[in-house]
Structures are given as structure tokens and as C-alpha cells.
């Protein structure tokens, strides 16, 4: 009995959370969906199957025929989950308990919320197959409505729908369905849906390494001008960064990944880890050295250890060390889908090694260069050095007959346009940040007006005071 | 059924023409054959399940594989690309429906080589990512991967040496194309890296058959040939005279002004 009371309390809380978000406005303007999500997170810990079943029964009254199928699916799944967990509660008996108290016009939002709660509940308990069924049912139900107020909830359900498919390894089957949903979302100006679905599609393609298709979709798909949710933007940036890295556009990739890393919430460890891995590789490929702190951040150090070892090998320009790292951690890199990027790093290792040699020796035989770099033959070395010279990696000349490499006088950097270019890059970066910040500022719809009103009343008050003062003065004058 | 038999007959004729080395007839037959394939229901994008769908898919895949090989022999890169794109779906989306193809490694390797030759490195890497693990182990794909790595590193002599270790004679045409590209690359590197080279060394580096050829090439690129040595003097002058990038500076300054105005 005590249990049911507790359950009822939670149910009420859940119902309240679903029905109306709390009145007092929190400092940053949250959308109702975000508020709801925050509340849900608090609630989730207290939920168990029984309470949820109660809530579902309360939220979706049996009298409403339209909601009936959803109600029975949800309850069936909950009762199954409950039985498996060997709880002593009686299985819910369906429609018998309550009949007449159907509220006039049940909100579809409440139904969607019920679906969402049950799906998250099942996912939390790793019952992916069932969660998949529920999510599919939810999707079917959502398809019957066209309400902008549902968008936020629907986007969350899309996410879980795709997630359950990913966990059960059937991601490729839902691709055309997601594409159809995305099309609908664009036509209906459902910006939440557009963002979420585009990300899900990109994730879907990248899961199967279909970078080509992902890039084609991304470049053609319409994106809402302003990102509605930061997490989705972060994900988008990560996917875009990955695509760019594969396409050898490392500078673009670095920009995207850096932004993603900056915008990601501190708690999202898994996401930050993925970004850190790609970012480290892209920086290495660009010839930069990732910061030590970046690779040893709290909570990320252990999984990033292979990448730290890689960075050290590349920095020292030691080809044998690099090969050793690539071999010992080959499994990790393959699992992270970064194996091919790591293979591309070989060239960077050689370049770094050459640069060190070039700085240290004014003249060195190619035989020694080959030995120091761990290259197989002198002929290879000669060609490689020649290419490095042409690409501007090192300042040197070769003597074919004597088989030596001699360094050129290092030119004064300040006599070249180099400093100007560096200065320009920084200024452009600052301006970009400013523009992004301006664009990211969001204003509440009515905030502007309210301020104006207060300004008006302030002016009114000032006028009143002035008049009062005048009157007083006049009085003074009379006296 | 009748359509399948008809297409199969057409394919036999086509194969006979290829075997006779009658490439123009083969090309003509291929066009009609492809038209016939469109009448079948099983190949993509319809994927209808007919009793003979397995045979239909197999036939379609084999026709396209042969088409790819034919376009290489005809040295028609545009047709190659088209044919391979049509073929690709059989290796990806319909992979589970069919037994593995013997020609897959060869056609994939050829396609990678084509991308290398056309210097479409980004697409080359995108293709690499899509390949399953077992394809990476095949000799054809590894050959292409190694070539790309050598090209990136600058180990051009290895690329040149790879001419003798082609996994299949079908690569000959693409390798020849690659050779020209590599020669240009070596020339570009040499003029920056060396002050001068003896003509004999230059000939060896750039794989010319005779000294005359090497001299002609040197003159084409504007190098000076004097007393049996090639001097790369022409390049020095142009690189040293670093001029002020005034247009760029002006445009930068204007951008700053505009942006600052917007802030204030």
C-alpha cells in the first residue's frame, strides 16, 4: 500500500511536469522542452516500472479510443519489464480500473511524453529490443499529428528511436525512414526535428563509413539558420569535422572539432573523448603538436593514452617509435575508425624528423639521414628530401654527386609576409568569435518591450518630479 | 525468364567479342546489353524478388565488371567512372544477396588507381574508408594504398619501381598515366632541391630512355643545359624576388575596417 502512495506521488509529479512547466522563470530562458527535460532527469531516478504504469494509466485514459493502442503497448511493455525484474506488484489489468474521468481533449503532448518516459526507462535498463518496439509505435502515433508544440518531444523520440536501432545493430534499415522524416520536418519548418534528424542521418552514414553520402547529404540538406539546441550543434560539428578530416581538409576539420570541443558540456565525457581523439589526429596531420593538457584532461587520460603516445612519436620524428605505437594500438585505432588517418601520419613523422636534422646539421650525408630516420635506402631518402624541400618543409639543397644535404641560410622570418599572415589569422579568428557570439545571443520574445515600458514610466516619473519641483519653486517664489 | 536468357546470350556475344580483341564491336554490344539489363526486375533500384533474381543480379554484376575492364582497355576514364559507379552498389547495398565476386578486388584496385592518377586524393580516401576489412587485405587494394603513401612521402623512385610489380596487366594503362604525373612531380622537386644535375643523373631520376629525351624535356621546362649539366637557374630568380602582396593587404585592411564598423 505504501508503495502505491509513493507511486501516486511520483505520478502526480510526473503529470505536473508533463502538464505545465513550473511558473517561475529561470535566469537563462529555457524552452518548455528544455525545462521538461531537466525535470525528467530529476524524476528518472525515482521511476520504476510500477510508477510508470500508473502514470501511463493516468495520462492516457482508457476512454479515449485514439490513445488506446499506445496505452496498451506501453502497459504491456512495462508489465513485461516488471515481471522480469521479479517485483511483487500485480500486473496492470488494463482498462477496468478507471473509466469515466477522461479529460476533455487529451493533449497529444502528454501521450508523446508518456512514450518518451517509457522509452528512456527501457533504454536505461538496457532492454533495447523492447525500447525499439515502443519507439516505433511512438513514431507511428506521432505521424498522425502535425503540431509544432510536439516538435521538441518528437525530436527526442527520434533520437531514442535511432539509438535503440544502433544498439541492436539495425541502423542501416531505418535510413530511408529517417530521410522521409527529415523531409517532412523541413516541409513543416520543424527546426528541432530537422536538426536532430540531420544529425541522426549523418551518424547513420558515418556508422558505416559512408563519408561520401554523408557529405552529399550535408551539403544539400537545409539547415535551420540558428541552432536550436547546443548538443545537436556540437554533434553536427563533430560529424562535419570527421568528414573534413577524411577528405584531407584538415584546417576546416580543426575549426569544426575545436568548436565542438569548446561547446560540449563538461559532463559529456564520451562525446568529449571522441572529439579529443579526432582533434589530436587532425592537429598532428596539420603539423601542429596537440597540447599536453588536452590529451591528459581529467577522465580522458586513460582512453587517450594511445593518442598521447602517437603525438610523442610524431613530435620526435622517430619512425620506428611511430610504427611501434601504430602496431601496438592498432586495434584501438581501428575501433575508433581512425586507422587510416594514423597511416597518413607517416609522412608527418618523416617531415618532423627531417626538420630536426636540418636544424642541427649544416651538411649531412644522405646515408646518415636515412639511418637517423629509419628509411630503407639512400635513393628513397633523396626523393623524400627533395619533396620536403619543394613543399617548403625544410630549407636545404641537395648535392646529387656527393650525396649530401646541406642547409640553406635560414632567412629572416620577419622579412617575409609570414608575421602578417599570422596576425591576419588571429584577427580573423577574433572577429569570427565576435560574430558568432552576436549570432548566438538569444532574446526572450517580450523582453525588449518590457524594458521599453519601464523606460517610459521612468520618463513619466522624471516629468512628474520636474513638475513637482517647479510647483515647489513657484510656491517658494510666491512666499 | 525470356529476358534473362536474352541478356545472357548478349553477354556471351560480348565476351566473345572481347576475346577476339574486337573492342569496337564489344563496346556496341555492351550498350545494347545494358539496355536489356534495365528490363530485368531484380537489379537495383527495384530489387524485386523474382524466382531468378539471384541469376539476374549475378549477370548484371558480371556485365558491369566486364564493362569496367573494357573501359580501361579503351582508355576511356569517363566511361570507367560511370561503369564503376553503377557497379559499386553491387559491392555495398546488395553485398548480402550475392556470393563474393572474383573480380571485386581488381575493379576496386583499378578504381583507386584511377582516383590517384586523376589526383582526386580526397575521394581516394573516402573510398578507402568504405572498403571492408577483407578488401584491405587484398593485393590490389594494398598496391594502390602503397602507391598513395609513396606519392605523399615523395618516394617517387618506389612508384617507378612498382611498374614491374603490377598485380594485373590491366593496370598498365593507368600506371603509364601515373608515370607522367610522377615525372612532373620529380621535375618540380628537382628544380627546387638541386642547383644543378648532370644530364645522365637527370635522365636516371626522371626515367628517360635517352639523353636526348632528357635534354628536350629540360628545354621544355626552361632549364639551362650547359656542358653536360642541367642548371635550374631560372627558378631561383623568380623565388627570390618576393614582392609585397599589396592586393591581399588592402583587402585585409578593408575587411578589418568593415568588421570594426559593424562592432562599433
Amino acid at each position: 500500500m505504501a508503495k502505491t502512495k509513493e507511486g501516486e506521488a511520483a505520478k502526480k509529479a510526473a503529470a505536473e511536469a508533463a502538464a505545465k512547466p513550473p511558473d517561475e522563470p529561470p535566469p537563462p530562458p529555457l524552452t518548455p522542452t528544455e525545462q521538461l527535460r531537466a525535470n525528467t532527469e530529476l524524476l528518472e531516478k525515482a521511476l520504476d516500472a510500477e510508477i510508470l504504469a500508473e502514470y501511463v494509466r493516468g495520462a492516457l485514459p482508457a476512454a479515449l479510443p485514439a490513445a488506446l493502442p499506445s496505452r496498451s503497448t506501453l502497459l504491456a511493455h512495462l508489465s513485461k519489464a516488471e515481471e522480469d525484474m521479479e517485483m511483487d506488484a500485480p500486473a496492470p489489468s488494463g482498462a477496468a480500473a478507471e473509466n469515466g474521468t477522461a479529460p476533455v481533449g487529451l493533449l497529444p503532448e502528454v501521450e508523446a511524453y508518456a512514450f518518451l518516459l517509457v522509452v528512456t526507462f527501457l533504454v536505461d535498463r538496457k532492454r533495447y529490443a523492447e525500447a525499439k518496439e515502443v519507439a516505433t509505435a511512438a513514431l507511428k502515433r506521432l505521424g498522425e499529428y502535425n503540431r509544432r508544440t510536439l516538435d521538441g518531444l518528437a525530436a527526442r523520440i527520434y533520437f531514442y528511436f535511432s539509438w535503440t536501432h544502433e544498439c541492436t545493430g539495425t541502423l542501416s534499415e531505418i535510413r530511408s525512414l529517417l530521410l522521409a522524416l527529415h523531409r517532412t520536418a523541413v516541409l513543416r519548418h520543424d527546426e528541432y526535428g530537422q536538426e536532430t534528424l540531420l544529425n541522426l542521418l549523418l551518424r547513420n552514414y558515418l556508422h558505416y563509413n559512408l563519408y561520401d553520402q554523408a557529405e552529399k547529404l550535408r551539403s544539400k540538406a537545409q539547415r535551420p539558420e540558428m541552432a536550436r539546441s547546443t548538443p545537436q550543434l556540437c554533434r553536427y560539428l563533430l560529424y562535419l569535422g570527421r568528414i573534413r578530416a577524411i577528405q584531407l581538409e584538415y584546417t576546416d576539420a580543426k575549426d569544426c572539432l575545436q568548436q565542438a570541443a569548446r561547446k560540449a558540456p563538461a559532463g559529456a565525457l564520451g562525446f568529449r573523448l571522441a572529439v579529443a581523439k579526432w582533434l589530436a589526429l587532425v592537429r598532428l596531420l596539420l603539423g601542429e603538436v596537440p597540447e599536453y593538457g588536452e590529451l591528459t584532461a581529467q577522465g580522458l587520460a586513460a582512453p587517450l593514452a594511445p593518442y598521447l603516445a602517437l603525438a610523442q612519436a610524431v613530435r620526435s620524428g622517430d619512425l620506428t617509435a611511430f610504427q611501434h605505437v601504430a602496431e601496438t594500438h592498432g586495434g584501438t585505432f581501428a575501433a575508433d575508425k581512425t586507422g587510416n588517418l594514423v597511416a597518413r601520419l607517416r609522412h608527418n613523422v618523416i617531415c618532423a624528423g627531417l626538420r630536426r636534422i636540418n636544424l642541427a646539421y649544416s651538411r649531412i650525408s644522405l646515408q646518415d639521414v636515412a639511418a637517423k630516420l629509419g628509411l630503407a635506402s639512400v635513393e628513397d631518402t633523396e626523393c623524400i628530401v627533395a619533396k620536403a624541400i619543394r613543399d617548403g618543409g625544410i630549407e636545404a639543397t641537395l648535392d646529387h654527386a656527393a650525396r649530401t644535404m646541406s642547409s640553406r641560410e635560414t632567412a629572416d622570418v620577419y622579412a617575409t609576409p609570414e608575421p602578417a599572415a599570422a596576425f591576419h589569422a588571429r584577427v580573423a579568428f577574433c572577429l569570427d568569435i565576435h560574430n558568432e557570439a552576436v549570432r548566438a545571443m538569444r532574446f526572450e520574445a517580450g523582453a525588449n518591450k518590457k524594458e521599453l515600458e519601464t523606460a517610459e514610466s521612468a520618463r513619466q516619473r522624471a516629468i512628474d518630479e520636474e513638475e513637482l519641483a517647479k510647483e515647489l519653486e513657484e510656491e517658494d517664489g510666491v512666499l | 525468364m525470356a529476358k534473362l536468357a536474352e541478356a545472357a546470350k548478349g553477354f556471351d556475344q560480348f565476351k566473345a567479342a572481347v576475346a577476339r580483341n574486337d573492342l569496337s564491336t564489344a563496346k556496341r554490344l555492351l550498350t545494347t546489353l545494358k539496355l536489356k539489363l534495365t528490363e530485368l526486375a531484380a537489379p537495383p533500384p527495384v530489387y524485386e524478388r523474382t524466382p531468378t533474381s539471384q541469376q539476374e543480379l549475378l549477370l548484371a554484376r558480371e556485365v558491369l565488371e566486364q564493362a569496367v575492364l573494357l573501359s580501361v582497355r579503351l582508355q576511356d576514364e569517363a566511361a570507367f567512372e560511370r561503369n564503376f559507379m553503377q557497379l559499386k552498389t553491387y559491392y555495398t547495398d546488395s553485398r548480402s544477396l550475392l556470393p563474393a565476386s572474383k573480380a571485386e578486388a581488381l575493379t576496386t584496385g583499378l578504381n583507386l588507381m584511377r582516383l590517384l592518377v586523376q589526383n582526386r586524393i580526397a575521394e581516394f580516401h573516402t573510398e578507402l574508408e568504405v572498403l571492408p576489412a577483407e578488401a584491405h587485405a587484398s593485393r590490389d587494394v594494398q598496391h594502390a594504398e602503397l602507391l598513395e603513401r609513396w606519392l605523399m612521402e615523395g618516394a617517387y623512385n618506389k612508384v617507378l619501381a612498382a611498374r614491374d610489380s603490377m598485380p594485373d596487366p590491366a593496370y598498365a594503362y593507368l600506371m603509364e598515366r601515373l608515370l607522367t604525373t610522377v615525372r612532373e612531380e620529380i621535375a618540380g622537386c628537382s628544380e627546387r632541391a638541386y642547383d644543378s644535375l648532370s644530364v645522365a643523373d637527370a635522365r636516371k631520376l626522371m626515367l628517360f630512355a635517352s639523353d636526348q629525351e632528357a635534354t628536350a624535356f629540360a628545354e621544355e621546362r626552361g632549364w639551362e643545359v650547359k656542358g653536360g649539366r642541367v642548371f635550374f637557374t631560372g627558378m631561383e630568380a623568380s623565388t627570390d624576388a618576393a614582392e609585397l602582396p599589396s592586393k591581399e593587404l588592402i583587402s585585409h585592411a578593408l575587411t578589418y575596417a568593415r568588421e570594426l564598423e559593424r562592432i562599433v
Side-chain angles (χ1 to χ4, degrees):
Chain A
M1 266 299 98
K3 198 159 206 174
T4 9
K5 263 191 190 156
E6 211 181 86
E8 253 164 20
K11 175 193 108 181
K12 248 183 220 158
E16 267 166 24
K20 47 169 187 179
D23 265 344
E24 80 265 37
L30 284 174
T31 60
T33 328
E34 278 166 334
Q35 265 177 29
L36 196 56
R37 195 180 308 154
N39 289 339
T40 312
E41 265 163 31
L42 288 179
L43 272 174
E44 253 163 21
K45 281 163 203 131
L47 283 179
D48 65 21
E50 198 190 338
I51 299 171
L52 257 180
E54 286 264 354
Y55 168 64
V56 170
R57 248 176 273 149
L60 309 177
L64 227 66
L68 206 55
S70 349
R71 178 189 154 93
S72 51
T73 359
L74 290 182
L75 287 179
H77 277 287
L78 284 174
S79 67
K80 228 187 326 173
E82 204 169 12
E83 274 162 30
D84 287 4
M85 282 191 291
E86 294 177 351
M87 298 207 6
D88 53 348
S93 55
E98 60 272 346
N99 39 15
T101 54
V104 197
L106 167 74
L107 284 175
E109 285 81 7
V110 176
E111 192 182 335
Y113 186 62
F115 268 119
L116 185 59
L117 274 183
V118 176
V119 172
T120 41
F121 171 78
L122 289 171
V123 167
D124 277 351
R125 278 154 191 75
K126 305 220 179 324
R127 308 169 73 88
Y128 296 121
E130 285 154 34
K132 194 157 88 178
E133 276 175 45
V134 177
T136 315
L139 231 56
K140 218 167 162 190
R141 215 42 205 123
L142 284 173
E144 295 165 19
Y145 295 105
N146 179 11
R147 291 163 67 103
R148 295 290 64 77
T149 41
L150 263 177
D151 289 348
L153 285 167
R156 300 283 295 167
I157 290 178
Y158 296 150
F159 170 75
Y160 280 109
F161 174 69
S162 165
W163 176 243
T164 50
H165 275 274
E166 189 172 339
C167 290
T168 46
T170 49
L171 212 48
S172 61
E173 292 164 16
I174 58 167
R175 206 176 289 151
S176 45
L177 177 61
L178 288 180
L179 280 168
L181 283 171
H182 182 256
R183 206 163 46 228
T184 318
V186 173
L187 288 176
R188 288 179 178 171
H189 297 287
D190 164 9
E191 294 187 351
Y192 286 107
Q194 277 178 50
E195 256 180 358
T196 314
L197 286 165
L198 181 61
N199 276 341
L200 290 177
L201 277 166
L202 289 180
R203 188 184 177 83
N204 200 318
Y205 284 130
L206 294 190
H207 187 79
Y208 294 99
N209 284 340
L210 297 169
Y211 289 92
D212 200 19
Q213 278 94 324
E215 168 60 16
K216 278 186 183 137
L217 170 74
R218 192 205 63 76
S219 56
K220 304 277 187 297
Q222 184 184 336
R223 257 171 59 78
E225 255 176 38
M226 198 179 68
R228 299 304 288 261
S229 97
T230 321
Q232 294 298 344
L233 179 65
C234 286
R235 285 195 189 113
Y236 177 77
L237 286 170
L238 169 64
Y239 299 144
L240 182 58
R242 281 178 59 182
I243 295 174
R244 289 281 177 266
I246 292 296
Q247 293 178 329
L248 296 104
E249 289 169 26
Y250 301 130
T251 324
D252 283 359
K254 195 185 92 175
D255 287 349
C256 291
L257 292 169
Q258 254 177 350
Q259 271 205 51
R262 286 205 192 103
K263 288 193 170 146
L269 265 190
F271 180 83
R272 277 175 48 210
L273 183 64
V275 174
K277 283 174 180 171
W278 282 84
L279 189 56
L281 276 179
V282 167
R283 281 179 171 228
L284 285 175
L285 282 166
L286 271 173
E288 298 174 12
V289 179
E291 277 164 44
Y292 187 75
E294 247 172 54
L295 288 172
T296 50
Q298 203 173 16
L300 301 178
L304 280 179
Y307 292 86
L308 182 63
L310 201 63
Q312 278 161 347
V314 174
R315 203 176 69 94
S316 62
D318 187 345
L319 210 52
T320 37
F322 168 74
Q323 255 148 9
H324 180 71
V325 174
E327 270 161 35
T328 40
H329 299 293
T332 324
F333 296 139
D336 293 342
K337 305 192 176 196
T338 51
N340 287 339
L341 284 187
V342 172
R344 283 188 218 166
L345 271 174
R346 198 181 128 88
H347 172 230
N348 291 61
V349 180
I350 295 175
C351 263
L354 264 181
R355 214 170 298 138
R356 286 162 84 93
I357 293 173
N358 184 42
L359 284 178
Y361 297 88
S362 64
R363 187 181 165 88
I364 182 170
S365 80
L366 287 172
Q367 185 81 51
D368 292 343
V369 176
K372 276 182 195 298
L373 289 180
L375 291 169
S377 74
V378 180
E379 283 78 28
D380 293 0
T381 320
E382 190 170 345
C383 284
I384 290 169
V385 173
K387 180 152 195 280
I389 293 173
R390 197 212 32 191
D391 294 348
I394 53 174
E395 287 288 328
T397 49
L398 284 171
D399 188 337
H400 186 75
R403 303 204 158 252
T404 54
M405 168 178 109
S406 37
S407 306
R408 259 189 211 146
E409 294 278 310
T410 40
D412 181 15
V413 181
Y414 287 94
T416 64
E418 197 70 26
F423 177 66
H424 172 68
R426 283 174 203 195
V427 173
F429 178 73
C430 291
L431 288 174
D432 197 41
I433 281 197
H434 175 264
N435 288 341
E436 286 278 318
V438 169
R439 210 177 304 157
M441 272 196 269
R442 266 193 266 174
F443 296 103
E444 237 177 314
N448 201 10
K449 212 187 266 171
K450 215 187 277 173
E451 230 168 69
L452 269 179
E453 270 164 28
T454 51
E456 211 151 87
S457 63
R459 205 184 309 139
Q460 192 63 45
R461 205 172 50 240
I463 293 171
D464 287 348
E465 275 170 11
E466 220 169 90
E467 274 172 12
L468 199 68
K470 247 184 210 163
E471 271 172 32
L472 283 175
E473 251 172 49
E474 275 166 19
E475 273 173 29
D476 280 348
V478 170
L479 280 175
Chain B
M1 269 313 266
K3 279 175 191 160
L4 177 62
E6 214 175 290
K9 212 176 109 214
F11 186 46
D12 284 338
Q13 282 175 353
F14 166 76
K15 273 199 285 197
V18 173
R20 278 202 313 275
N21 223 353
D22 186 356
L23 295 185
S24 56
T25 320
K27 197 174 166 192
R28 212 185 47 214
L29 283 173
L30 184 67
T31 321
T32 47
L33 194 54
K34 275 192 177 170
L35 283 175
K36 280 202 188 104
L37 283 183
T38 57
E39 290 167 18
L40 300 178
V46 186
Y47 284 121
E48 197 180 300
R49 287 195 185 273
T50 55
T52 54
S53 61
Q54 177 95 358
Q55 284 110 297
E56 286 177 29
L57 282 172
L58 270 178
L59 178 71
R61 187 176 71 179
E62 216 172 320
V63 168
L64 288 171
E65 278 168 355
Q66 290 302 323
V68 167
L69 295 182
L70 178 68
S71 54
V72 176
R73 284 181 69 179
L74 287 171
Q75 315 198 340
D76 184 350
E77 286 178 33
F80 182 123
E81 184 170 359
R82 235 170 15 243
N83 286 326
F84 189 80
M85 286 299 169
Q86 290 172 346
L87 179 60
K88 211 170 135 192
T89 160
Y90 291 90
Y91 294 150
T92 51
D93 297 338
S94 337
R95 198 179 188 85
S96 52
L97 302 173
L98 292 171
S101 158
K102 269 186 230 132
E104 180 178 352
L106 177 59
T107 46
T108 319
L110 282 172
N111 184 48
L112 288 174
M113 274 290 285
R114 174 183 65 86
L115 291 173
L116 265 190
V117 168
Q118 296 176 340
N119 205 15
R120 286 151 75 172
I121 305 294
E123 282 168 67
F124 177 88
H125 282 285
T126 322
E127 286 290 321
L128 269 192
E129 290 290 330
V130 184
L131 294 179
E134 64 265 22
H136 276 284
S138 81
R139 208 169 138 235
D140 295 86
V141 175
Q142 271 183 353
H143 176 73
E145 262 185 271
L146 277 178
L147 281 179
E148 193 268 347
R149 191 171 307 162
W150 290 333
L151 281 177
M152 281 301 285
E153 261 172 37
Y156 296 123
N157 57 332
K158 278 193 182 155
V159 179
L160 299 180
R163 255 197 322 178
D164 307 325
S165 63
M166 280 183 285
D168 194 279
Y171 285 96
Y173 162 66
L174 288 171
M175 271 315 259
E176 273 314 307
R177 284 278 319 266
L178 196 61
L179 186 69
T180 351
T181 323
V182 167
R183 192 175 285 156
E184 289 289 324
E185 286 284 314
I186 296 182
C189 289
S190 304
E191 62 192 19
R192 302 295 298 275
Y194 302 104
D195 293 332
S196 70
L197 265 181
S198 74
V199 173
D201 285 335
R203 195 194 79 192
K204 220 165 63 190
L205 266 179
M206 295 170 216
L207 279 200
F208 284 113
S210 67
D211 283 0
Q212 280 78 32
E213 247 180 87
T215 322
F217 183 75
E219 269 158 21
E220 203 179 293
R221 287 193 70 100
W223 300 335
E224 213 176 320
V225 186
K226 248 193 304 192
R229 285 191 81 79
V230 184
F231 290 92
F232 305 105
T233 41
M235 311 316 297
E236 286 287 315
S238 70
T239 47
D240 277 347
E243 50 186 282
L244 217 57
S246 40
K247 281 223 171 107
E248 208 173 300
L249 283 176
I250 293 171
S251 82
H252 284 173
L254 284 177
T255 324
Y256 300 156
R258 200 173 52 238
E259 294 283 339
L260 279 176
E261 203 151 73
R262 212 184 289 168
I263 292 173
V264 181

